[in-house]
Amino acid sequence: MLTLHCPYCDIQTDETELTPGGEAHLTRHGPGSSDGDFHDYLFSRANPRGVHFERWRHAYGCGKWFLAARDTQTLEVFGTYPAQTTEPPQYIVEAIRVKRPGWRGPA
């Protein structure tokens, strides 16, 4: 079972209390953007095998959104951080590089 740390409640919680929100750190496109950009925003996701950055909501806890870095193959969690963060914190990037030396960084 997937267990994540809620950075707001400061507790470990399992996936039954969480709601997934898809890929994190997307460039959002809305009115005024090109059809191609809007299409890619709505339908195109990286969906990598390996390290992935995701949005999660602590639905049965504080109700807040947060971000998580995890490996989609092993379910290993490298860390979680507040949703207002625009890029992964350096300590998470370093934790990933220690365990995955060939990792190229966030897309």
Side-chain angles (χ1 to χ4, degrees):
M1 178 173 287
L2 182 62
T3 303
L4 297 174
H5 175 262
C6 176
Y8 301 104
C9 297
D10 197 29
I11 62 168
Q12 292 290 114
T13 185
D14 64 59
E15 62 189 298
T16 61
E17 289 192 22
L18 304 169
T19 303
E23 189 175 345
H25 306 294
L26 293 174
T27 300
R28 303 202 183 321
H29 295 280
S33 63
S34 72
D35 288 345
D37 285 343
F38 191 60
H39 175 275
D40 289 346
Y41 164 67
L42 286 178
F43 302 111
S44 298
R45 296 292 181 261
N47 197 21
R49 186 169 83 181
V51 178
H52 190 55
F53 295 90
E54 304 168 318
R55 298 173 63 232
W56 289 88
R57 182 174 174 258
H58 194 179
Y60 294 101
C62 63
K64 294 183 179 180
W65 286 95
F66 63 92
L67 306 177
R70 72 177 183 96
D71 189 307
T72 58
Q73 288 181 283
T74 64
L75 296 183
E76 180 179 8
V77 177
F78 296 102
T80 60
Y81 50 103
Q84 295 76 17
T85 308
T86 57
E87 58 187 43
Q90 193 60 37
Y91 71 92
I92 291 179
V93 170
E94 291 303 320
I96 295 168
R97 287 199 171 116
V98 165
K99 297 256 182 139
R100 307 290 187 281
W103 185 66
R104 295 184 211 188

